[in-house]
Amino acid sequence: MLKKLFQSFRPPVRGQHHRRTTPEVINKSQHSLQRSQFSRHAVSIVERLQAAGYQAYLVGGCVRDLLLGITPKDFDVATSATPEQVRAEFRNARIIGRRFKLVHVHFGRDIIEVATFRAPHSDEDQSDSHRSSHNASGRILRDNVYGTLEEDAQRRDFTINALYYDPVSERILDYANGVHDIRNRLLRLIGDPTHRYQEDPVRMLRAVRFAAKLDFGIEKHTVQPIRELAPMLRDIPPARLFEESLKLFLNGQGAITFEMLVDLQLFEPLFPASSQALEERPTYTHTLISQALSNTDLRVRQGKPVTPAFLFAALLWPALPGRALYLQSQGVPPIPAMNGAAHDLIAEQCARIAIPKRFTLPIREIWDMQERLPRRSGKRADMLLDNPRFRAGYDFLLLRESAGEETDGLGQWWTDYQDANDSQRRDMIRELGSRDDGASGTAGPRKRKRSGGKRKRDDEQAWD
């Protein structure tokens, strides 16, 4: 895995890319794009803006993805028209954002994002009322300085995202040799990497995400400053990091993304407690998180639903037992110790990544099920089966076992119990008998020798 990762950090191909003041114009006969591949709504916006006298192009990810043979999720438009001018052209338009004003043009459920050309992030020679603002570390706080098409291309993050497609002439305008980098499957920042990361540290996460998602190498100058600048992520608003974390781990390449985040020291600013667990119990922590992400990747590729709650429960779990044991050493009973540790861990994590309450509550319930699943005597087993969180808790138990946790066959017992009829279930409960662990919430059941029996199929896992 790491060998593949290191190989992805390829040096630049021969001949460095320099900034262009005029674009390379790639005519219809020189590229594979077809006007019909783009959203008809996005094309109509471009046509209407051009008819009104403005410059307008399809830009960024949709152009990049179609050149790679990938179906785009979004179709964005860049234009010389200001947000107010765009809104004046479309009655179904709405201006959004403060730090970065955009226009959303609504076509039923289809929303096309329209952005005005931006100028490079410099406070020089700008009026006080329109200049972009930076904090002391260089991070951009406000970005509504409008510019030309050429300036807009230079202020975009990666060369592969600085491609402009005109559906009217069916030409591509390439200001940063992005087509060349796409052909060479190389991710390269536009401009000085250190300065660009200081402007927006989230670009470091975007570099990892694009490299993993597209299976691109990262150009050496682009990757070189990341480890040193990684702590800057601590200054990013937690709500923004939540959205970025979903993009990182739910794009179908979460497992390799995790490897890259750890190697580039970007994992610690996002998940400090889990990063500490990775140092203290490297094999177990790495295995559990990697397995959870591999399972998630498979479900994403199969088009099956996934929930951030299960994913965050797995990412944070390795840090939980040690905290609970510490509280027990201070005289706190086992179950209250686990509850207290879970509360503190989630609170600390939310200070770094703002996980919404609609996910933190299921996280706690999944963890709580790990304490309840060993307690199966009497009617408890049937009551647990009826619990709406049983399936997620059961899946999580299997995940823990796959990472090497010794549960004395608890996962297999629950697998058998779900497959058994009523009579067989009664026999299984009686077999527990007077064993102490049948009523214990802190110790797993003793090892039971069983033959046969299959665990629940992957497509039945309750990750949704």
Side-chain angles (χ1 to χ4, degrees):
M1 183 70 75
L2 286 179
K3 182 178 180 181
K4 177 183 178 182
L5 172 63
F6 293 136
Q7 287 176 340
S8 73
F9 300 152
R10 298 195 296 262
V13 293
R14 182 172 296 179
Q16 281 293 318
H17 296 323
H18 300 285
R19 293 189 176 188
R20 292 176 178 270
T21 56
T22 58
E24 177 184 0
V25 178
I26 304 171
N27 293 314
K28 178 181 178 180
S29 61
Q30 298 173 298
H31 63 75
S32 60
L33 301 185
Q34 300 291 326
R35 171 190 170 100
S36 59
Q37 294 176 288
F38 294 85
S39 161
R40 61 185 178 88
H41 298 310
V43 171
S44 70
I45 290 174
V46 171
E47 291 176 332
R48 188 163 169 180
L49 288 173
Q50 289 188 9
Y54 302 109
Q55 292 177 288
Y57 301 90
L58 289 150
V59 66
C62 64
V63 182
R64 175 200 69 218
D65 287 351
L66 286 172
L67 285 172
L68 288 166
I70 301 172
T71 301
K73 291 185 178 180
D74 303 296
F75 294 88
D76 298 334
V77 173
T79 179
S80 60
T82 66
E84 292 74 19
Q85 290 170 331
V86 174
R87 184 173 59 181
E89 290 292 326
F90 300 94
R91 297 177 62 182
N92 52 333
R94 178 186 173 205
I95 297 177
I96 65 167
R98 297 178 61 186
R99 174 181 174 271
F100 192 100
K101 280 188 179 181
L102 299 166
V103 178
H104 279 178
V105 184
H106 295 254
F107 298 88
R109 294 185 177 181
D110 193 8
I111 299 176
I112 304 299
E113 191 169 274
V114 182
T116 304
F117 297 151
R118 257 68 176 183
H121 306 306
S122 173
D123 286 342
E124 298 178 3
D125 302 322
Q126 301 288 345
S127 66
D128 290 338
S129 60
H130 293 89
R131 70 178 49 168
S132 61
S133 298
H134 300 68
N135 67 6
S137 63
R139 183 161 65 89
I140 297 170
L141 303 179
R142 188 174 66 252
D143 180 20
N144 289 307
V145 182
Y146 304 133
T148 65
L149 170 59
E150 293 79 7
E151 290 173 322
D152 188 76
Q154 295 305 325
R155 58 154 293 282
R156 290 184 176 270
D157 50 9
F158 301 102
T159 62
I160 62 173
N161 293 334
L163 299 171
Y164 300 77
Y165 177 72
D166 182 353
V168 177
S169 66
E170 299 188 67
R171 301 184 306 171
I172 297 174
L173 303 185
D174 183 359
Y175 283 89
N177 289 318
V179 171
H180 182 277
D181 284 341
I182 285 177
R183 289 169 179 163
N184 286 279
R185 307 190 73 83
L186 194 66
L187 192 69
R188 184 194 310 273
L189 268 173
I190 298 173
D192 176 67
T194 297
H195 177 63
R196 300 308 303 277
Y197 291 141
Q198 288 174 336
E199 285 182 338
D200 185 1
V202 169
R203 287 181 178 136
M204 294 183 284
L205 300 181
R206 285 170 60 82
V208 169
R209 175 159 62 90
F210 284 131
K213 174 186 174 182
L214 304 174
D215 191 25
F216 273 32
I218 304 180
E219 184 266 334
K220 68 175 184 180
H221 298 293
T222 298
V223 78
Q224 188 274 330
I226 290 180
R227 293 181 181 85
E228 179 182 352
L229 299 178
M232 293 186 69
L233 286 173
R234 296 170 186 158
D235 298 327
I236 300 298
R240 188 180 179 202
L241 287 182
F242 173 72
E243 296 299 328
E244 291 297 328
S245 67
L246 296 187
K247 295 176 184 178
L248 284 167
F249 296 121
L250 297 181
N251 67 1
Q253 299 295 333
I256 186 61
T257 296
F258 169 62
E259 300 285 350
M260 297 178 73
L261 291 173
V262 171
D263 179 70
L264 294 176
Q265 300 176 19
L266 294 168
F267 187 68
E268 190 279 333
L270 299 178
F271 297 93
S274 302
S275 180
Q276 183 177 350
L278 194 58
E279 292 184 5
E280 295 172 352
R281 301 176 65 193
T283 301
Y284 168 75
T285 301
H286 185 276
T287 302
L288 186 140
I289 293 176
S290 294
Q291 186 61 53
L293 290 169
S294 294
N295 294 344
T296 300
D297 291 343
L298 179 60
R299 293 182 67 83
V300 170
R301 290 194 291 270
Q302 293 175 340
K304 296 176 181 177
V306 295
T307 171
F310 193 98
L311 185 59
F312 280 108
L315 285 165
L316 296 174
W317 172 264
L320 184 61
R323 292 180 176 227
L325 288 174
Y326 172 77
L327 291 178
Q328 289 185 49
S329 72
Q330 302 300 303
V332 181
I335 293 180
M338 180 64 78
N339 291 336
H343 177 274
D344 292 345
L345 178 58
I346 289 178
E348 290 176 17
Q349 183 59 47
C350 285
R352 192 62 57 87
I353 295 177
I355 307 172
K357 192 173 183 179
R358 69 181 184 274
F359 297 129
T360 59
L361 289 178
I363 290 171
R364 292 288 302 271
E365 291 168 345
I366 291 170
W367 290 348
D368 179 63
M369 287 297 295
Q370 307 313 298
E371 288 294 304
R372 299 176 65 183
L373 287 172
R375 297 179 287 176
R376 299 155 288 162
S377 62
K379 297 182 178 180
R380 288 174 175 174
D382 288 333
M383 292 175 63
L384 283 174
L385 277 180
D386 293 334
N387 189 302
R389 291 297 175 191
F390 170 80
R391 297 288 290 274
Y394 167 75
D395 288 340
F396 200 83
L397 170 63
L398 298 187
L399 175 66
R400 291 167 51 208
E401 290 182 341
S402 72
E405 276 196 54
E406 177 54 58
T407 67
D408 288 341
L410 183 61
Q412 186 63 55
W413 190 94
W414 277 110
T415 300
D416 295 342
Y417 195 77
Q418 292 175 81
D419 294 337
N421 59 35
D422 289 343
S423 175
Q424 292 169 329
R425 288 181 178 181
R426 287 194 296 270
D427 290 341
M428 292 178 69
I429 297 299
R430 280 195 294 268
E431 188 179 338
L432 290 175
S434 59
R435 290 160 53 182
D436 292 339
D437 50 41
S440 171
T442 56
R446 291 171 187 168
K447 190 123 181 177
R448 300 170 66 245
K449 292 185 179 180
R450 301 189 62 87
S451 61
K454 295 182 179 179
R455 292 189 173 178
K456 186 160 56 66
R457 298 189 305 272
D458 288 343
D459 60 352
E460 294 176 331
Q461 291 183 334
W463 287 35
D464 53 331

